Amino acid sequence: MGTRSLVIAIKNKEVKLAQYGQFDGYPEGQGVGLLETLQSKLNEFSVALENLHFLTKEEVNALYRSSKTNDLNALEGGYKVIPYIIDGTVTGVVDSYQFAAQSLWCEWCYVIDYDANTFEVYKGFNKRKLAPNERFYDLEEYRDTSTPFHPVKFLCKFELSNLPGEQEFIEVCKEAYNSTKNNINKEV
């Protein structure tokens, strides 16, 4: 299903990955896939981030002009690019960080923050302005002001050193979503 999402990895106070995902962005899809990847490859992914860079505009244009559909699919598959980053097949990715400002379109966002030791989940369809202390507050200036939506809103987080199982992850996300649903969707 076309539920768009974003996977962000932060290490050494720097965004190393801001990966767009076109499909299955909800916790039971991209969320669980990312969780399973982190459970099995957390350290390898951390090391591989050192060799990753954001593609320049020229590199992005060249990639889209090429016939390398596997490369394009990997670059739009959300967490599915991580094994290619780990094995060195992918060393450059598109910087989609500002997509988090468009919560009408960015329905889910997952942040792996190695500095804070957290795996965070954010939800789209946010009609409330973010507070200055919220992670995506600086993206308020990039939001589409023709809609009532603000950047993605924090939902819940987990410690990287103590990741939950799949069922617990889904339950915590659902519970957090249900308890904040009214707040996320109200304009203030």
Side-chain angles (χ1 to χ4, degrees):
M1 191 163 114
T3 306
R4 292 164 293 235
S5 62
L6 187 61
V7 173
I8 295 172
I10 298 169
K11 185 176 178 186
N12 300 327
K13 299 181 181 177
E14 184 179 339
V15 175
K16 299 286 194 173
L17 175 72
Q19 181 65 44
Y20 172 77
Q22 177 68 35
F23 300 104
D24 301 325
Y26 42 85
E28 296 87 346
Q30 288 282 327
V32 167
L34 182 55
L35 174 69
E36 290 172 350
T37 301
L38 293 175
Q39 287 170 330
S40 64
K41 303 285 186 184
L42 183 66
N43 293 331
E44 292 93 329
F45 183 43
S46 175
V47 170
L49 287 173
E50 297 302 322
N51 299 317
L52 193 65
H53 71 279
F54 288 119
L55 297 172
T56 65
K57 261 187 190 175
E58 293 78 20
E59 289 172 315
V60 171
N61 291 337
L63 183 62
Y64 279 96
R65 283 192 304 269
S66 77
S67 60
K68 296 179 180 179
T69 55
N70 286 341
D71 290 348
L72 292 175
N73 290 337
L75 294 177
E76 294 180 351
Y79 83 92
K80 294 177 182 177
V81 74
I82 293 174
Y84 299 107
I85 293 169
I86 291 171
D87 74 11
T89 304
V90 171
T91 58
V93 292
V94 176
D95 183 355
S96 298
Y97 187 79
Q98 289 183 1
F99 185 55
Q102 311 302 330
S103 78
L104 173 61
W105 308 111
C106 184
E107 298 170 69
W108 292 94
C109 179
Y110 304 94
V111 177
I112 304 128
D113 188 332
Y114 282 95
D115 300 331
N117 188 42
T118 56
F119 174 37
E120 303 166 0
V121 180
Y122 292 78
K123 181 69 180 103
F125 301 115
N126 173 32
K127 291 185 178 179
R128 297 186 106 170
K129 185 173 182 176
L130 298 180
N133 65 333
E134 294 185 79
R135 183 180 291 278
F136 295 108
Y137 173 77
D138 291 341
L139 292 181
E140 283 283 347
E141 67 181 284
Y142 299 105
R143 76 181 193 87
D144 180 355
T145 57
S146 70
T147 75
F149 297 99
H150 294 268
V152 293
K153 182 86 172 151
F154 175 79
L155 192 65
C156 57
K157 70 179 173 181
F158 307 89
E159 289 183 15
L160 286 174
S161 57
N162 190 27
L163 290 168
E166 177 181 333
Q167 197 58 40
E168 181 184 352
F169 172 77
I170 292 169
E171 287 173 11
V172 169
C173 289
K174 281 184 180 179
E175 183 179 307
Y177 175 73
N178 289 333
S179 69
T180 61
K181 186 166 41 176
N182 293 332
N183 290 333
I184 288 176
N185 292 317
K186 286 183 183 173
E187 287 187 64
V188 175

